Each structure stands twice: as structure tokens, then as C-alpha cells.
Amino acid sequence: MILANDAVGGYNVIADTHVIPAAHVSHAAGQKIIAYVNSTSTPTTTIVFKGTIIGTKNAPMVASFSSRGPSLATIGILKPDIIDPGVSILAVWHMSVDNKTNGKTNANFNMASGTSISCPHLSGIATLVKSAHPDWSPAAIKSTLMTSTNQINLNSSLIDDERLLSVDVFAIGAGHVNPPNALDPGLVYDITPDYIAYLCGLGYTEKEIAVITRRAMGLVYPKHN
């Protein structure tokens, strides 16, 4: 099987586990393949495995399924705040992916993509930062992750999206996480309950704010008329 992206998918190819021999190609490559198939009555093809390719110059690249901003709640909060590895990640897996029915398998790993695979990266990096700075608050740790990012790829160019076009802040937020830099960012912002006034300005009710702060509204910030 040849799996070709649609226009939205662009150049974002993923190492999915297929049940038949398959190749995943970009939208541009797919259009060329379709043109070839339509040009002859006896089209032929060969799938050749060339191994894992590392050091791709346009890495990292924002995936087509990566959520874009701006935030629907308020443009005053950056969305996304940060990006990190989350496409074709080799990870442990809870079930066999090799279609064996006798229960005997060693395939306890899989290639996974999405938020569920990018979240563990940031969680692990946050844990490393906490171990290096045990007195830092969650807000300070998030700050250091965001103020120490990269905005360029391995080709020393601005990070691209799935169309190979340079991205903006609504695609990468502060940038791509850089764990070594996060340990000593040079600039860290902490936060105080002053942000509750911002929530009030957004129209949140006292009851809704109490859910966030886990305490009665009057105990965390003075009421204003």
C-alpha cells in the first residue's frame, strides 16, 4: 500500500504500524505517484526499506495535527505555549502490534504520535528541572521551559510547518523545548495570585475561579466593584 497525504497533511509523514507492506508519502509525492499511475496501463512499484534516517535538516517540523492558536478563551494567553517531540516516537506499548493470536510476542513497543506521546517528554523534562531546582514552583518551571527554547531547525532556519513554510507563534508558541538550556535559562518568571484578577477580567464567576484556586474567592484576592 502507498498511503499519500491529502493537502492538509502536506509533508507530515508518520511511521505508523501497518498490517501490510506500506509506504507513507507526502502530498506532493502522492500527486506524482497518481500522475504516474494514470500515465500507463501497467504501473509498477517497489518499496525499499533504507533504514532509519537521522539528522534531517528540516527537523524539528510542526505536525499537521498539532493544535494551532490563538486561544479561543483569550488572545492574552499564548497557544500553543511550547512544542516538543511527538511524532513517530518509539515507545513501550500495552499490547502486541504484530497480529499474533497465540499470545506469544516480543513486540512490546510501537511507534506513536500525538499529544499523549509529547506530554511525557515535557513531563520528564519538567522533572529534571525540578530535581535541579527543587525550590522552583510549577509556574517557574513552565517559565524556564518557555524562555530557553529553540526557534530554528537543524538547517539553522526558522522551524517549518507540514507545508515546509516558516511557522509563527500560533504554531510553535515560545519554540521547541531545549532540555539542557532549561536547566540554566537565565530568565525565569514566577507567578502570584495576581492572575486571579485576569480571570475576573475574562468574565469567570467566583464559583469558577474557586474551582481553579481551590479556595473561596474572598480568601485569595480582594473583591472589586
Side-chain angles (χ1 to χ4, degrees):
M1 177 183 71
I2 299 176
L3 175 63
N5 278 349
D6 56 15
V8 174
Y11 290 86
N12 184 198
V13 294
I14 299 176
D16 282 329
T17 303
H18 298 286
V19 297
I20 59 175
H24 187 180
V25 300
S26 67
H27 175 66
Q31 293 301 299
K32 293 180 180 179
I33 293 172
I34 292 174
Y36 162 68
V37 171
N38 292 332
S39 69
T40 176
S41 59
T42 57
T44 60
T45 186
T46 301
I47 297 177
V48 179
F49 179 65
K50 294 186 177 181
T52 301
I53 299 175
I54 61 175
T56 304
K57 292 301 182 181
N58 64 342
M61 182 174 69
V62 180
S64 59
F65 55 80
S66 182
S67 181
R68 266 44 169 204
S71 169
L72 296 179
T74 170
I75 60 173
I77 297 178
L78 185 62
K79 176 189 176 182
D81 47 11
I82 195 171
I83 61 173
D84 69 303
V87 178
S88 299
I89 304 299
L90 184 63
V92 294
W93 204 245
H94 66 287
M95 60 182 293
S96 170
V97 294
D98 58 9
N99 292 325
K100 289 186 177 180
T101 58
N102 58 9
K104 297 179 180 180
T105 179
N106 293 319
N108 55 354
F109 58 90
N110 194 11
M111 300 295 288
S113 300
T115 304
S116 58
I117 205 68
S118 64
C119 180
H121 283 85
L122 281 177
S123 299
I125 296 169
T127 302
L128 289 175
V129 174
K130 183 66 173 179
S131 66
H133 304 279
D135 58 329
W136 282 10
S137 68
I141 292 174
K142 179 177 180 179
S143 171
T144 189
L145 295 179
M146 293 179 64
T147 60
S148 59
T149 57
N150 294 331
Q151 292 83 37
I152 59 175
N153 57 26
L154 295 182
N155 199 36
S156 297
S157 302
L158 289 176
I159 294 174
D160 291 332
D161 63 11
E162 71 281 0
R163 302 163 298 172
L164 298 185
L165 299 177
S166 296
V167 296
D168 57 19
V169 295
F170 295 130
I172 66 170
H176 191 274
V177 67
N178 185 320
N181 285 357
L183 294 175
D184 186 18
L187 179 63
V188 176
Y189 294 99
D190 208 343
I191 198 169
T192 68
D194 290 344
Y195 69 88
I196 296 174
Y198 186 69
L199 296 177
C200 293
L202 293 178
Y204 282 76
T205 66
E206 290 189 14
K207 183 178 180 180
E208 291 169 336
I209 294 176
V211 172
I212 298 173
T213 60
R214 299 184 181 181
R215 65 187 70 179
M217 175 66 174
L219 297 177
V220 294
Y221 203 83
K223 296 182 179 179
H224 295 279
N225 295 325

